[in-house]
Each structure stands twice: as structure tokens, then as C-alpha cells.
Amino acid sequence: SPCCAGTGPKELQPWLLGLTAVVVFLFIVFVVLLVNRLWQIRMRRWDGDTSCTRLGWVGLAWGGAAGSVRA
């Protein structure tokens, strides 16, 4: 039909391209955090360690100092 006559590859609008980039980035971050969580659970079961903190990798990122802050 004549209304669809010029359909071909089209460029995305800049805002749509930016939105797509943000969504893909957040999805990648979500997957990385999920894999990290599953890896920690697996390692905890493998080591038999029950003394892990609830902070997870955040506590490790601060060198374990996050749980030892004194009031």
C-alpha cells in the first residue's frame, strides 16, 4: 500500500537511543548483581561459613570496616 511505501532502516530518535542505552546498562548491572549474589551463596555453602555479614560485598568493598563503626 502507498502509506507504507518508504519503510526501511530508520534511525532512532536521540532520546530513544539514550533511553535504550540506560535500560540496557541497568539490565547488565542487574545481571551482574544477581550473579554476584548467587556466587556468594554458592561459596558460603561450599565453605560452610555461617559468620558472613548481611552486608555482603558492600562490607568487603569497605574492607570490612562498615560493620566495625563505633557509635
Side-chain angles (χ1 to χ4, degrees):
S1 65
C3 68
C4 302
T7 58
K10 298 185 180 189
E11 282 191 41
L12 293 176
Q13 297 291 327
W15 64 269
L16 190 57
L17 188 63
L19 183 64
T20 303
V22 168
V23 168
V24 169
F25 174 75
L26 290 177
F27 179 74
I28 290 172
V29 168
F30 172 75
V31 170
V32 167
L33 290 176
L34 187 65
V35 168
N36 187 16
R37 172 64 87 181
L38 293 175
W39 182 258
Q40 282 186 353
I41 291 171
R42 182 179 176 192
M43 286 293 113
R44 197 176 304 151
R45 285 183 185 164
W46 190 69
D47 288 341
D49 185 14
T50 58
S51 65
C52 292
T53 63
R54 299 286 294 171
L55 293 174
W57 64 273
V58 175
L60 295 175
W62 288 96
S68 65
V69 176
R70 295 181 183 151

